[in-house]
Amino acid sequence: MSSSAAKCWWVNHKQTFRQEFEGGYLWSPKTNAKGAVNQFYNNMRRAHVGDSVVSYADGRIRAIGIVTEPAITAPKPETFKTTGSYWSDTGWLLPVEWTPVAVEAKPKNYLDQLRQALPSKYSPLSDKTGDGNQGAYLSEISVQLFNLVLQWTSGTVGKVVSACDTASLIQELEDKESENIQKDVSLSETQRSALILARRGQGQFRESLIAQQSECIVTGVRNPLLLRASHIMPWRACTTGFERLDPLNGLLLTPSIDHLFDKGLISFADEGEIIYSSTLTDHDIAAFGLSKNTRSRISLDSRKTYLDFHRRVILVP
């Protein structure tokens, strides 16, 4: 297993260019307005750290970006306000470090070159007019087209706009959810305390996990000081208090394994085998003391529902 080669992407984001450029990210729903799977949105999860992104808005190439972290599940940014009111409230957020281009070139002015380089499927632009295709958001493009973009725009200039800090973003999301729990009059003080403690893998949630598992399910480490109570479906993604406190939504892991799992760099098959993100190299895997044959030391059959969510939403392809 080895890390995949860097890819090139093109984003059409006329409606949200300012917010995404200034915020240092891309954001999309997970499905279209009809609830159907959309390849342009699925591409948010396919983009890897180090990939290049061409920003296109108002008929012009506005910036070049570099993906700095994998996409995470996140609510629609408040800065969007009424933009995309028909979009779902939860989607993919992809941190990107943007740099403005020297010349905001119009691709339609280079139609002959453009036609030869556009992808045949899921193209961001029309090969007839050079205008943006309706409904296209994030499209994979060839290195050939990316190099043409660099020629048309004379490269990049100006101050780099830093990408958003996903750790801070997740903290903010969880802080808001904690506030909502504190304000929920339908909950008793005991219930509120249990839910807040579960956020950090503490309290009733941790105790229930230790009673069930007693050791890290991968390494076998038993010292409680070296174990973390990790949510399978992240705390921020849970929609009910039951999911946040359910011990079946948890795994006991050592800090290093927990980090891999929380970041979506590994997941588990229902049968217990570790599933690795393509972003990990063989060297990375071995350095963590893992191998392709490493598997859970306990049965994960009772955690199928939560693990299915983790593989679909958290695991980085």
Side-chain angles (χ1 to χ4, degrees):
M1 183 184 300
S2 60
S3 58
S4 56
K7 293 182 173 64
C8 299
W9 304 92
W10 182 296
V11 62
N12 292 347
H13 55 162
K14 175 181 179 180
Q15 295 184 77
T16 56
F17 167 75
R18 181 182 61 79
Q19 296 94 322
E20 293 179 324
F21 177 79
E22 294 177 357
Y25 61 84
L26 293 176
W27 186 92
S28 80
K30 294 184 178 181
T31 60
N32 62 24
K34 296 181 179 180
V37 172
N38 184 309
Q39 183 62 44
F40 297 111
Y41 299 156
N42 285 348
N43 283 339
M44 296 283 280
R45 291 288 284 163
R46 295 181 58 230
H48 290 169
V49 175
D51 287 357
S52 301
V53 187
V54 176
S55 165
Y56 174 84
D58 300 313
R60 311 189 307 278
I61 296 168
R62 309 289 298 275
I64 301 294
I66 298 293
V67 176
T68 58
E69 296 184 57
I72 63 168
T73 295
K76 182 167 61 177
E78 293 183 359
T79 54
F80 282 16
K81 297 182 179 179
T82 58
T83 300
S85 57
Y86 53 90
W87 293 332
S88 58
D89 291 332
T90 303
W92 300 121
L93 186 142
L94 182 68
V96 178
E97 187 177 84
W98 295 110
T99 306
V101 296
V103 178
E104 293 191 348
K106 295 182 177 182
K108 65 188 309 178
N109 291 342
Y110 306 91
L111 201 51
D112 288 340
Q113 288 180 303
L114 184 67
R115 284 173 176 155
Q116 297 178 31
L118 282 174
S120 58
K121 193 174 184 180
Y122 304 120
S123 176
L125 304 178
S126 167
D127 60 0
K128 296 180 180 178
T129 66
D131 294 322
N133 278 330
Q134 184 70 27
Y137 182 64
L138 187 64
S139 304
E140 184 175 355
I141 62 172
S142 64
V143 174
Q144 177 190 3
L145 178 53
F146 183 77
N147 287 336
L148 285 173
V149 167
L150 294 181
Q151 292 177 26
W152 301 337
T153 60
S154 300
T156 56
V157 295
K159 184 179 180 180
V160 173
V161 179
S162 296
C164 64
D165 181 349
T166 53
S168 297
L169 175 65
I170 290 173
Q171 182 75 33
E172 181 182 342
L173 298 178
E174 295 190 347
D175 285 346
K176 287 182 180 178
E177 189 57 35
S178 295
E179 291 175 9
N180 291 336
I181 289 173
Q182 295 285 15
K183 295 175 183 177
D184 190 342
V185 296
S186 69
L187 298 173
S188 69
E189 188 60 37
T190 300
Q191 289 172 318
R192 291 193 190 100
S193 297
L195 287 168
I196 298 304
L197 285 172
R199 166 186 168 187
R200 295 185 175 88
Q202 298 176 357
Q204 175 187 337
F205 177 72
R206 178 181 175 86
E207 292 170 5
S208 298
L209 266 185
I210 290 177
Q212 283 187 357
Q213 300 175 12
S214 76
E215 64 182 20
C216 170
I217 68 163
V218 176
T219 65
V221 169
R222 290 178 173 269
N223 187 337
L225 297 176
L226 301 176
L227 296 175
R228 289 185 179 175
S230 180
H231 280 84
I232 301 172
M233 177 185 289
W235 199 86
R236 66 185 182 278
C238 295
T239 57
T240 66
F242 173 79
E243 289 174 340
R244 292 190 172 103
L245 294 174
D246 185 5
L248 295 181
N249 185 24
L251 298 172
L252 276 184
L253 302 170
T254 54
S256 59
I257 304 299
D258 171 68
H259 178 78
L260 293 174
F261 187 69
D262 182 63
K263 292 292 186 183
L265 298 176
I266 65 169
S267 190
F268 294 91
D270 291 342
E271 297 76 18
E273 294 90 346
I274 292 183
I275 302 171
Y276 297 100
S277 166
S278 64
T279 61
L280 290 179
T281 65
D282 290 337
H283 174 78
D284 294 331
I285 294 169
F288 275 95
L290 304 174
S291 74
K292 295 178 181 179
N293 297 321
T294 306
R295 55 182 296 126
S296 170
R297 301 165 69 93
I298 66 169
S299 171
L300 300 178
D301 189 66
S302 59
R303 291 168 165 78
K304 284 183 177 180
T305 300
Y306 292 117
L307 285 172
D308 176 67
F309 177 90
H310 191 273
R311 292 190 296 263
R312 288 185 294 104
V313 178
I314 306 301
L315 179 65
V316 177

